[in-house]
């Protein structure tokens, strides 16, 4: 395993926008500034939401921006290159099934619908909805068998009480009580699709990822993932959660913002170097002479990245 290895893992459910591009750029720079490797993984678990052809388009757009990777799908052919593939989550489901099996005693069947959880749960509400009240946590074998006759179960992780503490390289010290805020969380949905929390832990460990830089909207997920790293006995990475990029009016960028998508900017023949310049400045980095991304990696300083959301200027190009 490389001493340092970063990654970027887009989901092919919509177009990449400048916020996604800034996250990918920072993840790449952080890894390369330490002389490390970089992996590109396609997070396509939720196949019903996947847009046909989007994954290959995202690869081409990232490569156009100047971001390359040592392992992952080829940006032109889509063929996996590297020893730790496949690099699409849809082809890695056996690994998730195996991990779920290793959580025996910490994972249990849950037969609750979203509506039932919402009706039974009280505040707080986390990023996955209302806190799960533990309705199915202690069902007997007979009760589970009876419920299976009418409903397919999801699987949940028994989250222990108490704070999970970790250091974020951008956001600083963090303390999250998963049981108090989220409750027992989903590992596999009732339709058989494995949850992001499980898949990302299994994949990052298997692919030798030593540092994870992603958007701050995923900061709250980290405590749940730490619990899974511990339960599965896996090597934990370093964490860095970059602030979101917002529009000039302060609104969060979304995949529906066509004017700020990489596809739209590329179609308008915007120089990708100008995009990198804008994202570099937006990330608090010292001014540098024009050069390659490798040149920028030599002067990149993660500590300069601000922790608060960052607004794009009205007309950056």
């Amino acid at each position: 395993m490389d001493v340092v290895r970063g990654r970027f893992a887009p989901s092919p459910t919509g177009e990449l926008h400048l916020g996604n591009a800034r996250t990918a750029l920072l993840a790449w720079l952080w890894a390369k500034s330490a002389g490390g490797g970089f992996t590109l993984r396609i997070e396509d678990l939720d196949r019903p939401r996947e847009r046909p052809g989007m994954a290959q388009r995202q690869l081409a757009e990232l490569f156009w921006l100047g971001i390359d990777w040592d392992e992952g799908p080829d940006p032109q052919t889509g063929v996996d290159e590297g020893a730790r593939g496949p690099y699409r989550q849809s082809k890695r489901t056996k690994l998730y099934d195996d991990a779920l099996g290793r959580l025996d005693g910490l994972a249990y069947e849950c037969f609750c619908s979203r509506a039932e959880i919402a009706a039974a749960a009280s505040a707080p509400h986390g990023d996955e909805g209302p806190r799960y009240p533990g309705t199915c946590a202690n069902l007997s074998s007979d009760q589970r068998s009876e419920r299976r006759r009418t409903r397919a179960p999801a699987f949940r992780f028994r989250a222990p009480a108490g704070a999970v503490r970790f250091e974020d390289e951008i956001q600083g010290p963090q303390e999250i009580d998963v049981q108090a805020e989220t409750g027992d969380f989903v590992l596999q949905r009732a339709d058989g699709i494995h949850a992001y929390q499980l898949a990302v832990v299994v994949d990052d460990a298997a692919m030798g990822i030593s540092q994870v830089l992603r958007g701050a909207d995923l900061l709250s997920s980290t405590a749940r993932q730490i619990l899974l790293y511990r339960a599965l006995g896996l090597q934990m990475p370093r964490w860095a959660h970059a602030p979101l990029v917002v529009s000039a009016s302060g609104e969060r960028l979304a995949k529906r913002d066509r004017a700020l998508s990489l596809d739209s900017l590329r179609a308008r023949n915007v120089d990708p170097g100008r995009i990198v310049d804008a994202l570099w400045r937006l990330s608090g980095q010292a001014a540098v002479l024009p050069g390659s991304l490798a040149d920028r990696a030599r002067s990149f300083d993660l500590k300069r990245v601000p922790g608060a959301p960052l607004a794009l200027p009205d007309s950056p190009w």
Side-chain angles (χ1 to χ4, degrees):
M1 171 171 124
D2 296 311
V3 175
V4 173
R5 176 163 289 274
R7 55 84 161 165
F8 183 61
S11 174
T13 57
E15 297 182 356
L16 295 178
H17 55 62
L18 288 175
N20 305 130
R22 205 283 299 264
T23 299
L25 178 65
L26 289 179
W28 189 94
L29 288 167
W30 190 24
K32 295 301 179 180
S33 67
F38 197 69
T39 295
L40 195 292
R41 182 173 71 238
I42 301 296
E43 297 197 335
D44 60 347
L45 271 181
D46 198 347
R47 301 308 293 272
R49 294 182 59 226
E50 181 178 350
R51 290 175 56 180
M54 182 57 67
Q56 196 59 40
R57 200 166 94 188
Q58 290 176 341
L59 297 176
E61 289 166 358
L62 291 167
F63 199 71
W64 167 75
L65 203 60
I67 295 171
D68 58 6
W69 44 92
D70 310 288
E71 295 186 23
D74 183 272
Q76 293 182 316
T77 66
V79 175
D80 282 346
E81 296 182 346
R84 290 174 273 209
Y87 297 97
R88 289 171 173 79
Q89 287 187 330
S90 58
K91 297 182 179 180
R92 300 176 63 83
T93 54
K94 185 181 185 303
L95 293 173
Y96 312 143
D97 286 334
D98 290 346
L100 191 58
R102 286 158 51 199
L103 292 171
D104 183 41
L106 290 175
Y108 64 88
E109 292 174 314
C110 173
F111 300 88
C112 300
S113 68
R114 287 180 179 269
E116 288 166 343
I117 294 171
S122 57
H125 280 45
D127 56 0
E128 291 187 353
R131 177 186 175 277
Y132 181 65
T135 308
C136 295
N138 297 301
L139 294 179
S140 68
S141 177
D142 288 344
Q143 288 172 320
R144 291 196 301 272
S145 296
E146 179 63 27
R147 282 164 172 75
R148 270 190 233 110
R149 294 174 59 187
T150 56
R151 285 188 183 179
F155 284 85
R156 289 183 180 271
F157 180 81
R158 296 183 189 274
V164 176
R165 297 177 178 86
F166 62 96
E167 183 71 23
D168 189 89
E169 304 282 345
I170 296 176
Q171 303 296 332
Q174 302 294 314
E175 184 174 309
I176 301 172
D177 189 328
V178 175
Q179 183 54 246
E181 296 185 16
T182 306
D184 296 345
F185 56 89
V186 174
L187 299 171
Q188 186 180 47
R189 296 180 349 194
D191 62 4
I193 294 177
H194 296 90
Y196 166 78
Q197 309 296 352
L198 177 65
V200 72
V201 166
V202 171
D203 288 342
D204 281 346
M207 294 179 182
I209 304 304
S210 64
Q211 55 187 48
V212 172
L213 188 151
R214 55 193 178 190
D217 54 330
L218 291 170
L219 180 61
S220 64
S221 291
T222 307
R224 279 167 275 174
Q225 291 165 23
I226 287 173
L227 292 178
L228 289 175
Y229 273 103
R230 292 172 179 170
L232 292 166
L234 300 174
Q235 182 73 34
M236 207 175 310
R238 297 164 66 192
W239 310 96
H241 288 81
L244 299 180
V245 177
V246 297
S247 67
S249 61
E251 296 176 342
R252 176 178 171 176
L253 300 187
K255 292 179 178 179
R256 61 181 175 273
D257 294 323
R258 280 286 299 142
L260 298 176
S261 72
L262 293 186
D263 181 66
S264 174
L265 294 168
R266 190 181 183 189
R268 287 159 45 197
N269 294 317
V270 174
D271 181 356
R274 292 179 61 195
I275 298 174
V276 170
D277 285 340
L279 298 177
W280 175 269
R281 292 193 300 271
L282 200 63
S283 301
Q285 301 304 300
V288 294
L289 294 174
S292 67
L293 281 186
D295 295 330
R296 293 178 190 269
R298 283 189 281 273
S299 63
F300 176 71
D301 185 355
L302 187 69
K303 291 182 173 59
R304 288 179 173 270
V305 178
L310 302 164
L312 286 167
D314 281 317
S315 300
W317 25 79

